[in-house]
Amino acid sequence: MGANRRMLRLGAFLIAPGYHVASWRHPTAHADGGTDFAHYRDLVRTAERGKFDMVFLSDGLGIRTPYRDEEELSRWGRFAQFEPLSLLSALAVSTDRIGLAATASTSYNEPFHLARQFASLDFLSGGRAGWNVVTSVTDAEARNFNRDTQLDHETRYHRAREFMDVVTGLWDSWEDDAFLYDKESGRFFDPAKLHILHHKGEHFSVRGPLNVARPPQGYPVLVQAGASPDGQDFAAQWAEVVFTANQRLDQSQAFYRGMKEQVAAHGRDAEQIKIMPGVFPVIGRTRAEAEDKYAVLQELVDPVVGLGLLTQLLGDVDISGYPLDGPLPELPATEGCTSRQQLVWDKARREGLTIKELYRSVSGGRGHRIIIGTPGDVADELEEWFTAGGADGFNVMPPVLPDGLDDFVDLVIPELQRRQLFRTEYEGGTLRENLGLDRPAHRAASSAPAGH
Amino acid sequence: MGANRRMLRLGAFLIAPGYHVASWRHPTAHADGGTDFAHYRDLVRTAERGKFDMVFLSDGLGIRTPYRDEEELSRWGRFAQFEPLSLLSALAVSTDRIGLAATASTSYNEPFHLARQFASLDFLSGGRAGWNVVTSVTDAEARNFNRDTQLDHETRYHRAREFMDVVTGLWDSWEDDAFLYDKESGRFFDPAKLHILHHKGEHFSVRGPLNVARPPQGYPVLVQAGASPDGQDFAAQWAEVVFTANQRLDQSQAFYRGMKEQVAAHGRDAEQIKIMPGVFPVIGRTRAEAEDKYAVLQELVDPVVGLGLLTQLLGDVDISGYPLDGPLPELPATEGCTSRQQLVWDKARREGLTIKELYRSVSGGRGHRIIIGTPGDVADELEEWFTAGGADGFNVMPPVLPDGLDDFVDLVIPELQRRQLFRTEYEGGTLRENLGLDRPAHRAASSAPAGH
């Protein structure tokens, strides 16, 4: 295997008991896995055995699914989940090499808290922390944080940008070699290597310094998944990994090219951002077996859940008044994920789907690319996107856990390794080293302004 | 050992590399232990070997020591510490029986976040979480959270009370047996057992429900350490463990009696609150050895640190203009820990100490009771306070870690066990069970109003 050969990157998207909306009803699913540490520990160790770059935990600050009453809500699953940073802290000391990334919101957190938590995770894991920066897009979350509705899109991103200035400034409170621990002289640190932030901005006033040393990775790996123009521009400035949802190669190629160009326009090296579309793989020894597996899951989708899921993907627009066997109506613009909404609408129109057909079609991948087939089929499709400039890697969303992850690690990973597309051993000790990302220099070391 | 014999409770106050302000300069100290997980893991396993009820992590949301410039600050230690809940999450899966309590502030957190984090810690640890509720008392912390000065005392406690209503309401979002995981019927939970909070108050508006199941302990064990009248009243309503700082038995007896009376006045069982004064033990095989150990530490106190520490204990009052060999001046009232300030002032007057003598006297115990002697001496003093109605147990603050904790576990614990004052094996699986605290019923199970 050539040392300089370009290798694809893999993330494992883990949410107990699987990404498919009906996964918890599957006979093999650990329906109560959401607060079962052993379940998550075993999943992450499986991903580590497969040499995944990282595992990834999504998050919502409340129950984001739409429902009219408790009875409707009870058809959904997955309301009893660990808070992700608590879980990753525990996983950090239960694993050795795999990266650990979690979602956290810039709209409902204070930068001082998040800077400390991610710095702590980076120390606990020896430099394996990643942060998926989100601005949160539901009113349900706003209502748990003293608001009736979410902040508007522009304000969210404005706050997010200032948030990044503050957290990176806090991570740079101390230079890497600031701490002397000099017992003789009584100098705990070198005073010239302390940098007090003194931030005063529109959304935040944060003096600093952070009471944690600079993280092993400098900053945790910064991940972003917003697909709106604001989200893409934010990613181009800050993100090192981008999770995307694209159904077709040409879309993904256009996104890939566009993002790399935007990154370069921000003065950054385009190699320093890794584009990782989501894939929802249903793997069988034969194609028929894979199709059967998928059909079993689709049969388990409750109509209440399917319709609610579609409503959510459309940005909380109420479509309950329209006939299930008719087409999707024209929809108003919302403050939510408008680009995600467009994706679903495009699919409905392109394939001429009824509302019911549409909600079933998105119950599995939820807007992400679905691959159903043999290990060779899955490897073929990943290889095609990877070599054709559609992806630097993939965020793998197993339909049901642990089986879907076991299948990927035991069947697809060896095929990718055989094709020399994926590592057989971790290259480095930190997530940055494994992803091929530079360690950010302390801001005192360069004359560049704050940010990249 | 009689099953009903009253046993004392022990907490281990852990901050790397020790409670003494100069601990990091001690030859045996792990000066860089603050972000060294193995250091903390070994400490907690030692405490667990000693059958401690719990370990306890204090916290500050910034650097709370007073300093005029970076040079002064560099004489202090301990600025590079894990965020406590991240650390406890990792320790939860590295231990089996010991309780895990951390400080978190009601003034600079959102209840939804803390409710989730402590619920997650309780699940990760199998019911061993404890929360030391603080309102935070320094302007240094306020400046990291969009303020120039801290909230006034009354507002802090007003917010804290509402905070407790919200977090306990969020922990009661789901009844204990709400989750059905019924794959056949498609019912994830029983809709009758979901309770949406709909809180709208002066400080918080939180709809709920929490997206974590009810914690194994119902609520984590609630700890409180505020000694002001507001703090004591808050403790009487909410706390199950109270950390106090008392130098003399008569003071501690008065505090103990008063607190139990206040608890009863709130309609609670006085047995359901455990009063645990802090003790700072310096242990030697002989008294002379113990005295020598203490003298070595006292010699390491930097004058800048000693004076700054005294300033902090006095509530950030500037005493830098007064001669070190003169008495403490009359001091103005502050918005900080006025009761702690009074304690220090009483000590100075009672013992006729100069400022310098005073700061040296508080550098070790920092207002807490100092016991210097043999294991038998330490056991004698603990036994006296315990049997004379001055304490239900103690929060042990080892001067230097790991040695001070090793000494206590290897030398004092066996002596306490020999006297049948302390357990030889954990009684239960949860922190509540070990402390002899009731598991709080879900609020739907009683007609009592919110709170205890």
Side-chain angles (χ1 to χ4, degrees), chain A residues 17 20 22 66 95 108 143 147 154 181 221 229 257 260 288 299 329 351 380:
Chain A
H20 193 283
T95 53
Y108 303 113
R143 291 187 195 112
R147 296 182 55 87
E154 187 181 340
Y181 311 116
V221 171
R257 261 195 319 272
K260 298 267 176 172
E299 277 304 309
E351 302 179 18
D380 284 349

Side-chain angles (χ1 to χ4, degrees), chain B residues 138-416:
Chain B
T138 68
D139 291 342
E141 291 163 288
R143 291 188 194 113
N144 290 326
F145 294 91
N146 312 316
R147 296 183 55 86
D148 291 326
T149 58
Q150 57 177 322
L151 297 167
D152 66 82
H153 193 82
E154 187 181 340
T155 305
R156 287 206 309 276
Y157 273 95
H158 195 274
R159 179 180 162 111
R161 289 175 191 285
E162 188 180 336
F163 200 107
M164 297 311 295
D165 288 340
V166 177
V167 289
T168 54
L170 287 171
W171 287 323
D172 283 342
S173 293
W174 311 89
E175 294 183 36
D176 289 311
D177 57 351
F179 292 95
L180 305 172
Y181 311 115
D182 186 342
K183 294 179 179 186
E184 280 306 308
S185 73
R187 276 274 187 81
F188 195 73
F189 65 86
D190 178 348
K193 294 183 176 174
L194 163 61
H195 301 270
I196 300 177
L197 185 60
H198 293 296
H199 176 89
K200 286 209 183 280
E202 187 175 337
H203 297 278
F204 304 107
S205 169
V206 180
R207 181 180 183 277
L210 197 67
N211 49 0
V212 190
R214 193 162 194 260
Q217 296 186 102
Y219 311 155
V221 171
L222 299 176
V223 183
Q224 219 269 350
S228 69
D230 268 349
Q232 287 188 41
D233 185 66
F234 181 91
Q237 183 183 355
W238 287 106
E240 300 172 300
V241 170
V242 173
F243 291 155
T244 69
N246 285 306
Q247 305 265 355
R248 298 200 320 271
L249 176 56
D250 63 331
Q251 289 173 329
S252 204
Q253 287 168 324
F255 179 87
Y256 187 97
R257 261 196 318 274
M259 183 57 68
K260 297 269 175 171
E261 283 168 11
Q262 287 185 68
V263 166
H266 273 281
R268 297 174 61 198
D269 177 357
E271 292 292 309
Q272 291 293 308
I273 190 165
K274 307 298 177 188
I275 314 290
M276 296 172 65
V279 289
F280 176 91
V282 186
I283 303 159
R285 281 166 302 178
T286 63
R287 286 180 191 170
E289 186 183 285
E291 292 286 356
D292 285 349
K293 272 194 185 182
Y294 188 54
V296 165
L297 274 166
Q298 293 294 79
E299 276 304 309
L300 294 173
V301 179
D302 190 301
V304 165
V305 172
L307 198 57
L309 182 59
L310 188 55
T311 305
Q312 182 188 22
L313 283 173
L314 294 173
D316 289 340
V317 175
D318 184 6
I319 51 169
S320 60
Y322 296 93
L324 294 186
D325 293 321
L328 203 60
E330 291 291 337
L331 297 169
T334 71
E335 291 292 345
C337 278
T338 55
S339 46
R340 177 71 68 92
Q341 181 182 344
Q342 193 60 44
L343 215 67
V344 175
W345 174 236
D346 287 351
K347 182 183 177 69
R349 202 162 40 185
R350 191 170 67 245
E351 303 178 18
L353 300 179
T354 64
I355 288 179
K356 187 175 186 178
E357 287 166 338
L358 186 62
Y359 80 59
R360 289 195 57 160
S361 79
V362 297
S363 291
R366 299 215 280 290
H368 288 280
R369 180 176 166 219
I370 299 172
I371 306 177
I372 302 168
T374 65
D377 292 336
V378 176
D380 285 348
E381 294 215 32
L382 300 187
E383 181 170 5
E384 184 193 6
W385 281 37
F386 177 63
T387 55
D392 291 314
F394 301 93
N395 197 20
V396 178
M397 299 156 150
V400 180
L401 294 166
D403 288 10
L405 184 64
D406 289 342
D407 286 349
F408 197 92
V409 167
D410 293 333
L411 304 175
V412 179
I413 295 268
E415 181 60 26
L416 295 172

